[in-house]
Amino acid sequence: MPEDNNSRPVISNQTGLHDQLETVVRRHCTSPFQKPLADFNVAAFVEADQRLQQHGGPLILDSCCGVGASTRLLARRFPQHLVIGVDRSEHRLQRQWGELPDNALLVRADLVDFWRLARQAGWRPDYHFLLYPNPYPKKKDLKLRWHGHPVFPDLLALGGVLECRSNWKLYVGEMQQALKFLGVAADLNPVEMGDEPLTPFELKYARSGHQLWQLKAQLQH
């Protein structure tokens, strides 16, 4: 785990919920995302899907898993589940962060394609974690945040308990409001730190004195 305790808080030129949030979210729900799928993402998903079928048990998705520390920890906490961590960075996934449990899999893929493929394949995760995703704090970058991205409806269609954590309250607050627009209630509370942080970022931000926030919502398939 990193020792850095000087992480800067998120700085943004946006002080409240984005004024285009509802318009963007509703438009994405009525206009299916049509971007072509990349071949390497399809190949990565096929491998993951085969592993899931072989496992035959329940699934946990750990999206934006970074170095996979959270994937390893979740696999230990949920030994009956297959925990699939997905990140687009090969460099991060290849970093040595402890032994990978037998019920864990790390996949290099872009989630913009991976979530759509998972939806098409009928995946039904029990839990879906989004731990400290890039918040894209500039106001102009709303559509790069997951709740403002065209793939957001595909994320929601997977169902399960969605848990998103961030050190920027506005990020999870916007996600809570985006879900509310779509009839989904979400709880937003401070993170209660346990004995073992879920990710290196969680530890880094906590050591830097940041308030950490957790959104949880039960999604329908």
Side-chain angles (χ1 to χ4, degrees):
M1 291 289 185
E3 297 295 331
D4 184 8
N5 60 359
N6 294 309
S7 178
R8 295 181 180 179
V10 176
I11 298 175
S12 175
N13 61 343
Q14 182 182 330
T15 58
L17 298 180
H18 201 288
D19 53 8
Q20 293 298 308
L21 180 64
E22 182 172 9
T23 299
V24 168
V25 170
R26 294 195 183 281
R27 181 169 65 245
H28 291 161
C29 287
T30 57
S31 303
F33 192 32
Q34 300 292 340
K35 180 182 177 181
L37 299 166
D39 290 342
F40 84 91
N41 288 324
V42 175
F45 179 79
V46 168
E47 178 184 347
D49 190 51
Q50 290 174 346
R51 177 69 179 276
L52 179 60
Q53 302 311 315
Q54 292 168 0
H55 180 262
L59 169 67
I60 292 174
L61 268 181
D62 182 18
S63 295
C64 307
C65 70
V67 297
S70 52
T71 306
R72 292 167 169 84
L73 188 152
L74 291 168
R76 296 196 299 270
R77 290 185 180 178
F78 297 89
Q80 303 304 315
H81 288 72
L82 176 65
V83 183
I84 298 181
V86 184
D87 199 274
R88 65 183 179 182
S89 170
E90 184 176 7
H91 173 71
R92 285 193 291 265
L93 290 172
Q94 288 182 343
R95 289 179 60 184
Q96 298 300 313
W97 211 269
E99 183 178 355
L100 191 67
D102 292 339
N103 64 319
L105 176 68
L106 296 178
V107 180
R108 178 180 175 254
D110 190 329
L111 287 162
V112 170
D113 285 358
F114 197 89
W115 286 338
R116 288 187 289 161
L117 290 163
R119 180 182 184 178
Q120 293 170 17
W123 279 23
R124 297 290 183 261
D126 284 352
Y127 302 95
H128 192 169
F129 290 89
L130 274 172
L131 303 174
Y132 305 95
N134 187 338
Y136 291 102
K138 294 181 181 179
K139 184 176 181 179
K140 68 180 181 64
D141 289 336
L142 169 65
K143 294 179 184 178
L144 296 178
R145 303 170 195 164
W146 286 127
H147 48 271
H149 195 283
V151 80
F152 191 55
D154 296 280
L155 182 164
L156 302 185
L158 295 175
V161 176
L162 175 67
E163 179 169 338
C164 179
R165 296 188 182 189
S166 178
N167 65 328
W168 190 34
K169 188 178 182 181
L170 184 57
Y171 184 92
V172 284
E174 271 193 353
M175 184 174 288
Q176 182 186 42
Q177 188 62 46
L179 290 167
K180 185 177 180 179
F181 291 145
L182 304 179
V184 179
D187 295 326
L188 180 57
N189 295 294
V191 171
E192 295 184 6
M193 292 293 292
D195 295 333
E196 188 173 7
L198 279 176
T199 79
F201 278 117
E202 185 160 273
L203 177 61
K204 178 180 180 179
Y205 295 150
R207 285 178 169 172
S208 299
H210 297 192
Q211 176 63 69
L212 308 180
W213 298 94
Q214 170 186 270
L215 173 144
K216 293 187 74 172
Q218 174 66 63
L219 305 178
Q220 301 300 317
H221 298 313

